[in-house]
Amino acid sequence: MKRLSILAILSLVSFSMFAAEEAQNTFLPGLKTGQELFVITLLGLMTMICAVIIVVTLNLNSQIRNIFKPKTESSEFEQAMQNRTFWQKFWSLKPIQFEKDQMMEHQYDGIAELDNPTPPWFMYLFYITIVIGIFYLIGYHVIGNGKIMNNEYTEEVTIAEKAREEYMKKFANSVNEDNVKVLTDAKGVEDGKKIYTQNCVACHGANGEGVVGPNLTDEFWLHGGTPKAIFHTINEGVPEKGMISWKKTLNPIQVQQVLSYIVSIQGTKPANAKAPQGDKAEAAVSMK
Protein backbone atom coordinates (compact mmCIF):
# COMPACT_ATOMS: atom_id res chain seq x y z
CA MET A 1 0.00 0.00 0.00
CA LYS A 2 2.86 2.37 0.83
CA ARG A 3 4.40 1.85 -2.59
CA LEU A 4 1.08 2.44 -4.29
CA SER A 5 0.63 5.64 -2.30
CA ILE A 6 4.11 6.79 -3.32
CA LEU A 7 3.32 5.91 -6.93
CA ALA A 8 0.12 7.99 -6.73
CA ILE A 9 2.07 10.96 -5.33
CA LEU A 10 4.69 10.64 -8.05
CA SER A 11 1.88 10.61 -10.62
CA LEU A 12 0.52 13.87 -9.23
CA VAL A 13 3.96 15.52 -9.25
CA SER A 14 4.80 14.32 -12.76
CA PHE A 15 1.47 15.46 -14.11
CA SER A 16 1.83 18.88 -12.47
CA MET A 17 5.25 19.35 -14.08
CA PHE A 18 3.96 18.15 -17.46
CA ALA A 19 0.84 20.33 -17.31
CA ALA A 20 2.91 23.37 -16.30
CA GLU A 21 5.20 22.89 -19.28
CA GLU A 22 2.23 22.47 -21.60
CA ALA A 23 0.60 25.61 -20.19
CA GLN A 24 3.79 27.56 -20.83
CA ASN A 25 4.19 26.20 -24.34
CA THR A 26 0.54 26.94 -25.14
CA PHE A 27 1.33 30.62 -25.42
CA LEU A 28 4.11 30.04 -27.98
CA PRO A 29 2.85 30.95 -31.47
CA GLY A 30 1.86 28.12 -33.76
CA LEU A 31 2.55 25.26 -31.33
CA LYS A 32 -0.30 24.64 -28.88
CA THR A 33 -4.04 25.28 -28.62
CA GLY A 34 -6.38 25.72 -25.67
CA GLN A 35 -8.35 22.63 -26.68
CA GLU A 36 -5.27 20.40 -26.58
CA LEU A 37 -4.34 21.77 -23.15
CA PHE A 38 -7.89 21.05 -21.98
CA VAL A 39 -7.59 17.43 -23.15
CA ILE A 40 -4.25 17.01 -21.35
CA THR A 41 -5.68 18.55 -18.19
CA LEU A 42 -8.73 16.28 -18.35
CA LEU A 43 -6.54 13.18 -18.73
CA GLY A 44 -4.42 14.29 -15.80
CA LEU A 45 -7.46 14.86 -13.60
CA MET A 46 -8.78 11.41 -14.47
CA THR A 47 -5.41 9.91 -13.56
CA MET A 48 -5.35 11.74 -10.24
CA ILE A 49 -8.92 10.68 -9.43
CA CYS A 50 -8.04 7.05 -10.16
CA ALA A 51 -4.95 7.29 -7.96
CA VAL A 52 -6.97 8.79 -5.09
CA ILE A 53 -9.63 6.08 -5.43
CA ILE A 54 -6.95 3.36 -5.29
CA VAL A 55 -5.29 4.85 -2.20
CA VAL A 56 -8.60 5.35 -0.38
CA THR A 57 -9.76 1.83 -1.27
CA LEU A 58 -6.54 0.28 0.01
CA ASN A 59 -6.72 2.28 3.24
CA LEU A 60 -10.32 1.25 3.83
CA ASN A 61 -9.48 -2.36 3.08
CA SER A 62 -6.59 -2.25 5.53
CA GLN A 63 -8.75 -0.67 8.23
CA ILE A 64 -11.54 -3.22 7.74
CA ARG A 65 -9.08 -6.12 7.88
CA ASN A 66 -7.56 -4.75 11.07
CA ILE A 67 -11.02 -4.48 12.67
CA PHE A 68 -12.03 -8.05 11.94
CA LYS A 69 -8.55 -9.61 12.28
CA PRO A 70 -8.29 -11.59 15.52
CA LYS A 71 -5.70 -10.18 17.91
CA THR A 72 -2.80 -12.57 18.37
CA GLU A 73 0.55 -12.13 19.95
CA SER A 74 3.12 -10.90 17.45
CA SER A 75 6.02 -13.11 16.70
CA GLU A 76 9.58 -12.04 17.48
CA PHE A 77 10.16 -11.17 13.80
CA GLU A 78 7.03 -9.04 13.58
CA GLN A 79 7.94 -7.17 16.75
CA ALA A 80 11.46 -6.52 15.45
CA MET A 81 10.03 -5.26 12.17
CA GLN A 82 7.74 -2.87 14.04
CA ASN A 83 10.63 -1.55 16.16
CA ARG A 84 12.85 -0.64 13.20
CA THR A 85 14.28 2.85 12.90
CA PHE A 86 12.91 5.35 10.41
CA TRP A 87 15.73 4.71 7.91
CA GLN A 88 15.34 0.95 8.20
CA LYS A 89 11.67 1.33 7.34
CA PHE A 90 12.42 3.82 4.57
CA TRP A 91 14.91 1.46 2.92
CA SER A 92 12.86 -1.67 3.75
CA LEU A 93 15.74 -3.19 5.73
CA LYS A 94 15.21 -6.18 7.98
CA PRO A 95 16.66 -6.28 11.51
CA ILE A 96 20.26 -7.45 11.52
CA GLN A 97 19.51 -10.45 13.77
CA PHE A 98 17.41 -11.96 10.99
CA GLU A 99 20.03 -11.65 8.26
CA LYS A 100 20.84 -15.35 8.63
CA ASP A 101 17.40 -16.13 7.23
CA GLN A 102 18.28 -14.20 4.06
CA MET A 103 21.57 -16.00 3.36
CA MET A 104 21.71 -17.87 0.08
CA GLU A 105 23.01 -21.42 -0.06
CA HIS A 106 26.22 -20.79 -2.02
CA GLN A 107 29.30 -19.15 -0.49
CA TYR A 108 32.61 -18.05 -1.97
CA ASP A 109 35.75 -17.86 0.19
CA GLY A 110 33.53 -17.77 3.23
CA ILE A 111 31.55 -14.81 1.93
CA ALA A 112 27.79 -15.33 2.04
CA GLU A 113 25.30 -13.50 -0.13
CA LEU A 114 22.02 -12.15 1.19
CA ASP A 115 18.84 -12.58 -0.78
CA ASN A 116 17.74 -8.95 -0.42
CA PRO A 117 14.95 -7.48 -2.54
CA THR A 118 15.63 -4.73 -5.05
CA PRO A 119 16.58 -1.51 -3.20
CA PRO A 120 13.56 0.75 -2.69
CA TRP A 121 15.33 3.81 -4.16
CA PHE A 122 15.77 1.86 -7.39
CA MET A 123 12.10 0.86 -7.39
CA TYR A 124 11.04 4.47 -6.77
CA LEU A 125 13.19 5.55 -9.69
CA PHE A 126 11.60 2.83 -11.80
CA TYR A 127 8.10 4.03 -10.84
CA ILE A 128 9.05 7.59 -11.79
CA THR A 129 10.18 6.46 -15.25
CA ILE A 130 6.87 4.64 -15.75
CA VAL A 131 4.85 7.74 -14.84
CA ILE A 132 6.98 10.04 -17.00
CA GLY A 133 6.79 7.53 -19.84
CA ILE A 134 2.98 7.51 -19.72
CA PHE A 135 2.71 11.29 -19.94
CA TYR A 136 5.45 11.40 -22.58
CA LEU A 137 3.53 8.86 -24.66
CA ILE A 138 0.29 10.83 -24.37
CA GLY A 139 1.84 14.24 -24.96
CA TYR A 140 4.28 13.40 -27.74
CA HIS A 141 2.75 10.48 -29.63
CA VAL A 142 -0.99 10.25 -28.89
CA ILE A 143 -1.90 13.95 -28.92
CA GLY A 144 1.29 14.92 -30.76
CA ASN A 145 1.48 18.18 -28.87
CA GLY A 146 5.01 17.87 -27.49
CA LYS A 147 8.19 19.43 -28.80
CA ILE A 148 8.96 16.74 -31.36
CA MET A 149 11.18 17.60 -34.33
CA ASN A 150 8.32 18.85 -36.50
CA ASN A 151 7.13 21.23 -33.81
CA GLU A 152 10.66 22.43 -33.08
CA TYR A 153 11.16 23.07 -36.79
CA THR A 154 7.87 25.00 -36.99
CA GLU A 155 8.88 27.07 -33.98
CA GLU A 156 12.31 27.86 -35.43
CA VAL A 157 10.79 28.80 -38.80
CA THR A 158 8.28 31.08 -37.06
CA ILE A 159 11.07 32.80 -35.14
CA ALA A 160 13.17 33.14 -38.30
CA GLU A 161 10.24 34.62 -40.24
CA LYS A 162 9.65 37.19 -37.51
CA ALA A 163 13.34 38.09 -37.50
CA ARG A 164 13.25 38.42 -41.29
CA GLU A 165 10.19 40.67 -41.15
CA GLU A 166 11.89 42.89 -38.58
CA TYR A 167 15.01 43.03 -40.75
CA MET A 168 13.03 43.94 -43.83
CA LYS A 169 11.12 46.65 -41.97
CA LYS A 170 14.38 48.10 -40.70
CA PHE A 171 16.65 47.82 -43.75
CA ALA A 172 14.79 46.86 -46.93
CA ASN A 173 12.60 49.94 -47.00
CA SER A 174 15.66 52.15 -46.61
CA VAL A 175 16.34 51.59 -50.34
CA ASN A 176 14.16 53.61 -52.68
CA GLU A 177 14.11 55.10 -56.15
CA ASP A 178 15.93 58.26 -55.06
CA ASN A 179 18.90 56.68 -53.25
CA VAL A 180 19.32 53.34 -55.03
CA LYS A 181 22.88 52.42 -56.00
CA VAL A 182 24.25 49.67 -58.20
CA LEU A 183 25.78 46.87 -56.13
CA THR A 184 29.29 45.89 -57.17
CA ASP A 185 29.92 43.03 -54.74
CA ALA A 186 29.78 39.47 -56.10
CA LYS A 187 27.13 38.29 -53.65
CA GLY A 188 24.73 41.12 -54.42
CA VAL A 189 25.05 40.53 -58.17
CA GLU A 190 24.69 36.75 -57.74
CA ASP A 191 21.54 37.20 -55.66
CA GLY A 192 20.19 39.47 -58.39
CA LYS A 193 20.93 36.81 -60.99
CA LYS A 194 18.96 34.22 -59.00
CA ILE A 195 15.96 36.55 -58.77
CA TYR A 196 16.25 37.36 -62.49
CA THR A 197 16.37 33.66 -63.38
CA GLN A 198 13.26 32.94 -61.33
CA ASN A 199 11.15 35.85 -62.58
CA CYS A 200 12.52 37.54 -65.71
CA VAL A 201 13.77 34.82 -68.06
CA ALA A 202 10.40 34.25 -69.77
CA CYS A 203 10.29 37.81 -71.13
CA HIS A 204 13.94 38.87 -71.31
CA GLY A 205 15.79 35.58 -71.96
CA ALA A 206 18.24 33.60 -69.89
CA ASN A 207 21.10 35.96 -70.74
CA GLY A 208 19.12 39.18 -71.10
CA GLU A 209 18.99 38.83 -74.91
CA GLY A 210 15.28 39.69 -75.00
CA VAL A 211 12.29 37.53 -75.94
CA VAL A 212 8.91 39.20 -75.53
CA GLY A 213 10.59 42.00 -73.61
CA PRO A 214 13.50 44.10 -74.89
CA ASN A 215 17.18 43.22 -74.96
CA LEU A 216 18.80 44.21 -71.65
CA THR A 217 22.43 43.87 -72.75
CA ASP A 218 22.71 46.66 -75.32
CA GLU A 219 22.93 50.43 -74.89
CA PHE A 220 19.34 51.15 -75.88
CA TRP A 221 16.60 51.66 -73.32
CA LEU A 222 12.87 52.18 -73.66
CA HIS A 223 12.41 53.71 -70.23
CA GLY A 224 15.87 54.93 -69.26
CA GLY A 225 19.12 53.15 -68.37
CA THR A 226 20.10 54.90 -65.16
CA PRO A 227 19.79 53.01 -61.83
CA LYS A 228 16.88 55.25 -60.85
CA ALA A 229 15.07 54.61 -64.13
CA ILE A 230 15.63 50.85 -64.04
CA PHE A 231 14.52 50.70 -60.40
CA HIS A 232 11.34 52.59 -61.28
CA THR A 233 10.62 50.34 -64.26
CA ILE A 234 11.03 47.12 -62.24
CA ASN A 235 9.16 48.46 -59.25
CA GLU A 236 6.18 50.07 -61.01
CA GLY A 237 6.14 48.00 -64.21
CA VAL A 238 4.90 49.09 -67.63
CA PRO A 239 1.33 47.74 -67.77
CA GLU A 240 0.58 49.07 -71.26
CA LYS A 241 3.46 47.00 -72.64
CA GLY A 242 2.78 43.86 -70.60
CA MET A 243 5.37 44.28 -67.82
CA ILE A 244 3.84 43.83 -64.41
CA SER A 245 4.75 45.76 -61.28
CA TRP A 246 7.10 43.77 -59.05
CA LYS A 247 6.88 45.89 -55.91
CA LYS A 248 4.39 43.49 -54.30
CA THR A 249 6.59 40.49 -55.08
CA LEU A 250 10.11 41.85 -54.58
CA ASN A 251 11.23 44.08 -51.73
CA PRO A 252 13.39 47.15 -52.50
CA ILE A 253 16.65 45.32 -51.75
CA GLN A 254 15.72 42.54 -54.18
CA VAL A 255 14.86 45.11 -56.85
CA GLN A 256 18.27 46.69 -56.26
CA GLN A 257 19.93 43.28 -56.68
CA VAL A 258 18.12 42.61 -59.99
CA LEU A 259 19.02 46.09 -61.18
CA SER A 260 22.69 45.42 -60.35
CA TYR A 261 22.65 42.14 -62.27
CA ILE A 262 21.13 43.87 -65.32
CA VAL A 263 23.88 46.51 -65.23
CA SER A 264 26.49 43.72 -64.92
CA ILE A 265 25.44 42.11 -68.23
CA GLN A 266 25.74 45.32 -70.23
CA GLY A 267 27.73 44.76 -73.43
CA THR A 268 27.91 40.96 -73.09
CA LYS A 269 26.38 40.47 -76.60
CA PRO A 270 24.58 37.14 -76.05
CA ALA A 271 23.61 34.91 -78.98
CA ASN A 272 20.26 35.60 -80.67
CA ALA A 273 20.08 39.05 -79.11
CA LYS A 274 16.97 41.03 -79.94
CA ALA A 275 17.30 44.15 -82.08
CA PRO A 276 17.88 47.42 -80.19
CA GLN A 277 14.79 49.27 -79.00
CA GLY A 278 14.41 52.74 -77.55
CA ASP A 279 17.02 55.43 -77.11
CA LYS A 280 20.73 55.04 -76.62
CA ALA A 281 21.92 55.73 -73.10
CA GLU A 282 24.83 54.82 -70.88
CA ALA A 283 24.39 52.86 -67.68
CA ALA A 284 25.64 54.65 -64.60
CA VAL A 285 28.15 51.92 -63.68
CA SER A 286 30.24 49.69 -65.90
CA MET A 287 31.11 46.30 -64.38
CA LYS A 288 33.01 44.72 -67.25
Side-chain angles (χ1 to χ4, degrees):
M1 184 180 67
K2 182 179 71 173
R3 290 187 178 181
L4 288 175
S5 300
I6 293 174
L7 180 59
I9 294 172
L10 291 176
S11 300
L12 296 177
V13 173
S14 298
F15 169 73
S16 300
M17 295 172 62
F18 182 80
E21 180 182 358
E22 288 298 321
Q24 182 180 4
N25 291 336
T26 299
F27 299 99
L28 292 177
L31 292 181
K32 308 290 187 295
T33 64
Q35 293 179 344
E36 292 172 342
L37 181 62
F38 173 77
V39 172
I40 294 173
T41 305
L42 183 62
L43 289 173
L45 289 174
M46 292 175 62
T47 303
M48 289 188 290
I49 291 172
C50 291
V52 170
I53 291 174
I54 292 173
V55 172
V56 171
T57 302
L58 290 173
N59 283 329
L60 288 175
N61 181 52
S62 176
Q63 294 295 331
I64 292 172
R65 291 178 62 181
N66 288 334
I67 292 174
F68 293 98
K69 183 179 179 181
K71 294 183 178 180
T72 57
E73 293 186 2
S74 300
S75 65
E76 182 183 352
F77 175 76
E78 291 176 346
Q79 290 179 355
M81 291 291 289
Q82 292 177 358
N83 295 330
R84 289 179 301 169
T85 64
F86 170 79
W87 287 111
Q88 286 177 325
K89 292 179 180 179
F90 182 81
W91 297 110
S92 297
L93 298 177
K94 293 182 179 179
I96 192 169
Q97 62 266 33
F98 294 99
E99 281 190 352
K100 60 181 182 297
D101 298 330
Q102 297 178 261
M103 289 185 181
M104 302 182 70
E105 294 182 359
H106 69 276
Q107 293 186 5
Y108 186 79
D109 287 345
I111 301 175
E113 182 180 358
L114 299 180
D115 187 14
N116 283 315
T118 304
W121 65 266
F122 187 88
M123 296 305 299
Y124 298 150
L125 182 63
F126 178 62
Y127 298 148
I128 291 173
T129 60
I130 293 175
V131 173
I132 294 176
I134 292 173
F135 286 107
Y136 181 91
L137 177 65
I138 294 173
Y140 283 74
H141 298 286
V142 177
I143 298 177
N145 203 32
K147 277 195 172 183
I148 55 178
M149 288 188 291
N150 289 340
N151 289 348
E152 288 183 354
Y153 173 77
T154 302
E155 181 182 355
E156 290 177 2
V157 169
T158 303
I159 294 173
E161 286 295 331
K162 285 189 174 182
R164 179 180 178 278
E165 289 176 5
E166 292 297 326
Y167 172 82
M168 296 310 300
K169 288 179 182 178
K170 186 176 181 180
F171 295 104
N173 293 329
S174 63
V175 178
N176 56 56
E177 187 176 317
D178 296 323
N179 63 15
V180 64
K181 296 180 180 179
V182 177
L183 301 175
T184 58
D185 61 287
K187 185 179 184 306
V189 175
E190 183 62 27
D191 290 340
K193 181 179 180 181
K194 291 178 182 178
I195 298 171
Y196 176 91
T197 302
Q198 292 174 354
N199 301 285
C200 310
V201 169
C203 292
H204 295 284
N207 300 306
E209 69 273 14
V211 183
V212 178
N215 181 359
L216 299 178
T217 63
D218 58 25
E219 298 175 340
F220 293 84
W221 298 86
L222 289 170
H223 307 286
T226 64
K228 179 178 179 178
I230 299 173
F231 186 96
H232 178 82
T233 303
I234 297 173
N235 213 35
E236 301 298 331
V238 188
E240 63 273 16
K241 293 188 178 181
M243 179 171 176
I244 66 172
S245 170
W246 290 95
K247 63 183 178 182
K248 293 183 179 180
T249 305
L250 304 178
N251 62 61
I253 287 182
Q254 291 174 316
V255 174
Q256 183 185 37
Q257 291 169 340
V258 175
L259 178 159
S260 302
Y261 172 69
I262 292 173
V263 172
S264 73
I265 60 176
Q266 289 294 294
T268 54
K269 299 179 181 180
N272 302 319
K274 196 173 182 179
Q277 295 174 276
D279 300 323
K280 186 175 180 180
E282 292 185 1
V285 177
S286 176
M287 300 182 64
K288 296 184 288 181

